[in-house]
Amino acid sequence: IESQGSEVRRLKASGLGNKDAPVLAAVAELKRLRAAQLVSASRTEVKQDEVTEDEVTDKEVTGDRDFAAFMEVQKNRSVCIHWLLTFTQRIEQIWDVDCEARLASLSTLRRCLASLADH
């Protein structure tokens, strides 16, 4: 990620703008790497808890953690909105990288929004 970030900076320093094809390609690759890192970190977190497949699936554990984090902030309107926006940005980052994680995150987002029906 750091080397790709350096590549983006190098391209911009050479006089290319944000809309030039080489910069766009380098930024797209940087976003892909960041999304892959996010997915990898999420999976590592699950493995560290030593959850077996018989007990619960990875996406359920991650979804439960995300929902628990949401439940902690839901009563504070500003923090709740910030959390929802940040969570949707995380979903956007993994959109093309991991379909299963994307669907699990969307399910969690739906659950979070449904819990706000009486809010």
Side-chain angles (χ1 to χ4, degrees):
I1 291 176
E2 288 189 27
S3 65
Q4 189 63 29
S6 295
E7 177 64 13
V8 171
R9 287 188 292 280
R10 184 190 68 74
L11 289 169
K12 287 185 175 185
S14 72
L16 295 174
N18 288 340
K19 299 202 182 224
D20 290 320
V23 175
L24 288 173
V27 168
E29 176 63 11
L30 180 60
K31 286 182 178 181
R32 187 194 67 75
L33 291 170
R34 286 182 179 160
Q37 181 185 37
L38 180 66
V39 169
S40 176
S42 175
R43 288 183 177 158
T44 301
E45 194 175 287
V46 170
K47 288 177 187 173
Q48 288 174 349
D49 286 343
E50 298 179 11
V51 176
T52 65
E53 288 182 23
D54 294 335
E55 295 174 33
V56 70
T57 66
D58 289 354
K59 68 179 183 178
E60 288 173 337
V61 170
T62 303
D64 287 345
R65 281 195 188 128
D66 290 332
F67 187 72
F70 171 76
M71 294 304 287
E72 289 180 24
V73 302
Q74 77 161 338
K75 293 184 183 191
N76 182 323
R77 189 178 109 192
S78 296
V79 177
C80 177
I81 292 169
H82 179 266
W83 189 94
L84 289 167
L85 290 172
T86 303
F87 190 65
T88 55
Q89 288 171 339
R90 283 179 41 205
I91 294 170
E92 182 182 23
Q93 289 175 340
I94 63 170
W95 195 268
D96 294 326
V97 179
D98 188 339
C99 181
E100 184 178 329
R102 177 187 75 218
L103 293 175
S105 295
L106 286 171
S107 175
T108 300
L109 178 61
R110 181 173 158 246
R111 187 175 167 199
C112 293
L113 293 172
S115 75
L116 294 174
D118 296 330
H119 207 279

